[in-house]
Amino acid sequence: MFRRFLPLFAAFSLVLWAFGISPAAAQLFETKATQAYMIDADTGTVLFSKDADASIQPASLAKLMTMEVTFNAIKSGRLKLDDTFVVSEHAWRTGGAPSGTSTMFAALKSAIRLEDLIQGVAVQAANDGCIIIAEGMAGSEANFALQMTERARQIGLTASTFVNATGLPADGQKTSVKDLTNLALRLWRDYPDFYRYFGQKEFTWNKIRQLNRNPLLSTDIGGDGLAVGASEENGFGIVGSIAKDGKRVIAAMSGLANDRERAEEARKLLEWGLRSFQKSEIFARDEIVGEAEVFGGEKSGVALKAKGPVDIFLPITNRDRLTARIVYNGPLPAPVEEGQPVGALKVWIGDTLSQETPLYAAESVGVGSLPRRALDAVEELAIGWLR
């Protein structure tokens, strides 16, 4: 089978023409970040991507994975917010007051409620809080890190490997801004009861008041999460989310020069994401999207449709930067059954693959007559190599 780029059906071509859509061009937005990735939270549509699959050190952004594992354990009933964990010497020395790192100042051998530990991590990026949770859940931080990586694979974070629960420098620890954005999306979608901790502006525990380090929370743009981090190798990074007027965008950025640049670039990207796209329905439920070629069938093609309506996000001021194609491996050998997965409608914004909607056969196509199959075979021998 060969990958085919099929011209869109006439009806779709008219839709695209009406929107002024033409071949892909450069990015619609510029950022100082070395890596960046942004999505619409409701649909997962990619609104911006810059070197999003590059491997980076997660630094404190790894704590988002620690929280996902913790939230998942609570949701499944294995843990409760009122459970208590004891502070080991390793947690105290590595992440507590003696460490000189971000900490909630947990006292050695004290017992702390899980909810307080979660707030310490989400608000203060507390390294001791992460290690205490890790040891309480898995016996050791190293074993918990293995669970983090295993869980990352389960939820589709293929570029992420974790060596500890904190994000402190360690060989072999890596992620990508694409993985971090998708992780943030999962935290928002799957754990609405716990996501609120990331938007908590301050936390006072054991008579110590500490402020959230996320600069988006002190702005008026609707920021409510999630985390910041910095490493020598990849500079300053952030995973941020803002919501306004019923829309939410989530982004991860890395490679920024300092905390001021991080705050400015995150705000600019997220605000641009909120205001620069318009959601439009281009195909109603059960409407035919296009056609795929069939080999050896009673018909030469089969109509395609999506499972439901097809929406696309159009750049409001740069609609000439959007392209769309039906992509499938073909021609499809007969017979083709109605409902059979065939390919996808792919939409690009600039040079970024923004959306991918699965397409299915809208009808059945049986095996054709012997002369028909012979004709198709001759045609395939003549022009198949050109695909």
Side-chain angles (χ1 to χ4, degrees), residues 123-194:
V123 177
Q124 299 159 213
N127 289 317
D128 50 355
C130 288
I131 300 172
I132 295 163
I133 291 172
E135 293 179 336
M137 287 185 63
S140 72
E141 187 180 8
N143 194 41
F144 183 80
L146 293 175
Q147 294 183 16
M148 290 170 67
T149 300
E150 181 180 358
R151 177 64 179 164
R153 297 293 179 272
Q154 290 174 359
I155 61 177
L157 308 184
T158 58
S160 299
T161 300
F162 299 96
V163 179
N164 57 45
T166 60
L168 289 171
D171 290 341
Q173 189 144 260
K174 61 182 181 179
T175 188
S176 69
V177 291
K178 183 176 181 179
D179 270 12
L180 289 170
T181 303
N182 289 328
L183 173 58
L185 177 63
R186 176 169 288 271
L187 289 167
W188 173 71
R189 278 184 177 172
D190 291 2
Y191 310 107
D193 293 338
F194 307 133

Side-chain angles (χ1 to χ4, degrees), residues 75-124:
K75 187 176 180 179
S76 66
R78 290 182 286 124
L79 290 178
K80 300 187 295 294
L81 290 174
D82 284 332
D83 287 344
T84 58
F85 296 128
V86 176
V87 182
S88 70
E89 183 165 350
H90 170 66
W92 179 69
R93 289 193 180 279
T94 305
S99 70
T101 65
S102 180
T103 180
M104 60 187 293
F105 299 100
L108 179 63
K109 297 183 180 179
S110 63
I112 304 175
R113 288 178 66 248
L114 178 57
E115 186 174 22
D116 290 332
L117 292 168
I118 289 171
Q119 291 178 90
V121 175
V123 177
Q124 299 159 213

Side-chain angles (χ1 to χ4, degrees), residues 15 59 74 81 133 155 177 183 187 198 224 230 259 279 291 305 344 347 361-362 366 378:
V15 172
I74 298 172
L81 290 174
I133 291 172
I155 61 177
V177 291
L183 173 58
L187 289 167
F198 297 112
D224 60 7
D259 54 2
K279 187 177 181 180
E291 185 178 89
K305 66 179 182 179
V347 179
V378 171

Side-chain angles (χ1 to χ4, degrees), residues 43-367:
T43 64
T45 299
V46 181
L47 304 179
F48 183 83
S49 181
K50 180 181 179 181
D51 205 13
D53 293 310
S55 183
I56 63 170
Q57 288 289 320
S60 276
L61 301 177
K63 294 178 173 71
L64 294 178
M65 192 70 229
T66 297
M67 290 292 91
E68 202 284 335
V69 174
T70 305
F71 295 162
N72 184 56
I74 298 172
K75 187 176 180 179
S76 66
R78 290 182 286 124
L79 290 178
K80 300 187 295 294
L81 290 174
D82 284 332
D83 287 344
T84 58
F85 296 128
V86 176
V87 182
S88 70
E89 183 165 350
H90 170 66
W92 179 69
R93 289 193 180 279
T94 305
S99 70
T101 65
S102 180
T103 180
M104 60 187 293
F105 299 100
L108 179 63
K109 297 183 180 179
S110 63
I112 304 175
R113 288 178 66 248
L114 178 57
E115 186 174 22
D116 290 332
L117 292 168
I118 289 171
Q119 291 178 90
V121 175
V123 177
Q124 299 159 213
N127 289 317
D128 50 355
C130 288
I131 300 172
I132 295 163
I133 291 172
E135 293 179 336
M137 287 185 63
S140 72
E141 187 180 8
N143 194 41
F144 183 80
L146 293 175
Q147 294 183 16
M148 290 170 67
T149 300
E150 181 180 358
R151 177 64 179 164
R153 297 293 179 272
Q154 290 174 359
I155 61 177
L157 308 184
T158 58
S160 299
T161 300
F162 299 96
V163 179
N164 57 45
T166 60
L168 289 171
D171 290 341
Q173 189 144 260
K174 61 182 181 179
T175 188
S176 69
V177 291
K178 183 176 181 179
D179 270 12
L180 289 170
T181 303
N182 289 328
L183 173 58
L185 177 63
R186 176 169 288 271
L187 289 167
W188 173 71
R189 278 184 177 172
D190 291 2
Y191 310 107
D193 293 338
F194 307 133
Y195 179 82
R196 61 184 175 84
Y197 293 121
F198 297 112
Q200 192 172 320
K201 293 184 178 181
E202 62 179 66
F203 178 53
T204 299
W205 179 80
N206 202 21
K207 299 181 181 180
I208 301 172
R209 176 176 175 264
Q210 289 183 285
L211 302 178
N212 198 311
R213 297 164 182 246
N214 187 342
L216 297 174
L217 302 186
S218 60
T219 67
D220 59 354
I221 63 173
D224 60 7
L226 287 113
V228 295
S231 69
E232 288 189 12
E233 182 176 341
N234 296 109
F236 287 71
I238 185 171
V239 177
S241 179
I242 64 173
K244 201 169 187 178
D245 300 327
K247 296 171 63 177
R248 176 180 293 275
V249 291
I250 300 173
M253 309 175 78
S254 180
L256 295 157
N258 49 56
D259 54 2
R260 177 179 296 180
E261 184 173 88
R262 173 174 60 194
E264 291 174 351
E265 292 297 302
R267 175 172 183 149
K268 286 193 296 184
L269 178 64
L270 287 162
E271 281 194 307
W272 174 80
L274 273 185
R275 67 172 179 260
S276 299
F277 295 88
Q278 179 182 10
K279 187 177 181 180
S280 300
E281 181 181 289
I282 58 171
F283 292 106
R285 180 181 297 274
D286 294 327
E287 187 174 356
I288 300 303
V289 174
E291 185 178 89
E293 185 180 352
V294 176
F295 174 81
E298 58 189 2
K299 294 172 58 178
S300 61
V302 58
L304 305 178
K305 66 179 182 179
K307 288 289 189 183
V310 178
D311 299 321
I312 62 173
F313 279 75
L314 292 169
I316 291 174
T317 59
N318 292 276
R319 291 184 172 182
D320 61 333
R321 302 292 182 88
L322 190 145
T323 55
R325 295 285 186 274
I326 293 174
V327 182
Y328 67 104
N329 291 328
L332 306 173
V336 178
E337 299 296 328
E338 183 178 355
Q340 176 180 323
V342 172
L345 173 65
K346 294 188 176 183
V347 179
W348 286 264
I349 299 174
D351 56 5
T352 296
L353 179 59
S354 178
Q355 294 172 244
E356 189 168 347
T357 303
L359 296 178
Y360 305 85
E363 58 185 336
S364 295
V365 177
V367 176

